[in-house]
Amino acid sequence: GSSVKLTLEVQVQLNTFEDDAYANPNKYLKHINHNRTVECQEVCDELVILHLGFISQPTCRAHVTFARLADTTFVGNVTFKWVFYNAAFTQLEIWFRFGFLVLSFFTTCLFAYSLRKFSFRNWSIEQKWMSVLLLLLCLYNNPLVPLSFLVSSWVPAMVDALFQATFLSALLLFWLCAFHGIRQTERKFTRFYLPKLIIVLMVWLPAITLASWQK
C-alpha cells in the first residue's frame, strides 16, 4: 500500500527517584518538546524520542505524550524500546581505550627518546609531523574518557569529540602536505600551507559541530 508521512509532536518528561518505590521524585531531569516526522505504511518507522548520556539516580521514569495522535486513524499501538549500556560493556570500553592510550604514550616516549641526540632544528619535516601526530594520538585516545561516565555534564563528551576531530584533521593535513610536497620543494605558508589549512578547517568545524550535537 501507499505510505503516509506523519508529523508527531512529542513531549517527554523524565523524573528520577532515589529508590524503586517511585516515591518523592526529584526535580525532572529533562522536559523536551520536539516534532518528529515518520513514514507509515503497515508499520511506522522507528524514531528516537530521548537520548541520555548519564543518569545520576538508580531509577527513572519517562512520561511520553504524543500530541494529536488520537486524531489519526491508522496508528494503533505504540511500542517503546529502552536501550542502554550495561556495566560490563562500559568497563570494557574504558579498559580498551586505556590500553590504546598507554600504547600511544609509550610510542611517543620511544620516538622522543630515539631523537634525543638531535636538535629540533635538525629534524626532518616528516619527523616534526610525526611528533605532532603522536601527541594528538594520545589525545585521540582521550585520557579523560572515564569522566564521560562519572560526571553528569556535556563537557567530557565535547572534549572527546574535539580530540577525535582534531587528530583526524591533522592526519588529513599531513597527507595533503606530504603528497603535494613530492613535486613542490618551496613551502611558503601563504601558498603551500594556507590553502590546505582552509580545506581542513572546513572539515574540522562541521565534524566538531555534528559530533557535539550527536553526543
Side-chain angles (χ1 to χ4, degrees), residues 119-133:
S119 173
F120 184 76
R121 297 179 181 179
N122 298 327
W123 288 14
S124 65
I125 187 66
E126 290 81 8
Q127 290 171 333
K128 293 178 181 179
W129 268 111
M130 188 60 63
S131 63
V132 174
L133 291 176

Side-chain angles (χ1 to χ4, degrees), residues 100-210:
F100 277 100
L101 173 64
V102 172
L103 183 62
S104 59
F105 179 76
F106 176 77
T107 305
T108 304
C109 294
L110 186 62
F111 178 79
Y113 180 78
S114 64
L115 295 175
R116 70 189 186 283
K117 297 181 180 180
F118 303 95
S119 173
F120 184 76
R121 297 179 181 179
N122 298 327
W123 288 14
S124 65
I125 187 66
E126 290 81 8
Q127 290 171 333
K128 293 178 181 179
W129 268 111
M130 188 60 63
S131 63
V132 174
L133 291 176
L134 284 174
L135 290 175
L136 291 177
L137 180 61
C138 294
L139 296 181
Y140 177 80
N141 291 314
N142 194 4
L144 304 178
V145 67
L147 293 179
S148 302
F149 306 99
L150 299 176
V151 180
S152 178
S153 174
W154 55 269
V155 176
M158 176 67 182
V159 172
D160 189 30
L162 177 65
F163 288 164
Q164 293 184 18
T166 302
F167 170 74
L168 295 177
S169 299
L171 187 61
L172 174 62
L173 181 62
F174 164 72
W175 283 115
L176 289 175
C177 295
F179 282 112
H180 191 199
I182 294 176
R183 293 188 175 182
Q184 183 172 346
T185 57
E186 185 179 359
R187 300 192 177 192
K188 293 184 178 180
F189 178 79
T190 55
R191 301 185 61 180
F192 185 83
Y193 290 104
L194 185 59
K196 300 174 182 61
L197 285 173
I198 295 176
I199 294 174
V200 172
L201 189 63
M202 293 173 61
V203 177
W204 182 79
L205 285 176
I208 289 294
T209 304
L210 292 176

Side-chain angles (χ1 to χ4, degrees), residues 14-18 23-29 56-57:
L14 186 72
N15 295 91
T16 59
F17 302 84
E18 297 289 345
N24 300 322
N26 300 319
K27 185 179 180 180
Y28 64 83
L29 186 61
S56 58
Q57 303 297 332

Side-chain angles (χ1 to χ4, degrees), residues 34-47:
H34 50 206
N35 295 326
R36 290 289 184 267
T37 300
V38 295
E39 186 173 351
C40 301
Q41 197 170 2
E42 294 182 358
V43 294
C44 296
D45 296 336
E46 294 184 356
L47 69 155

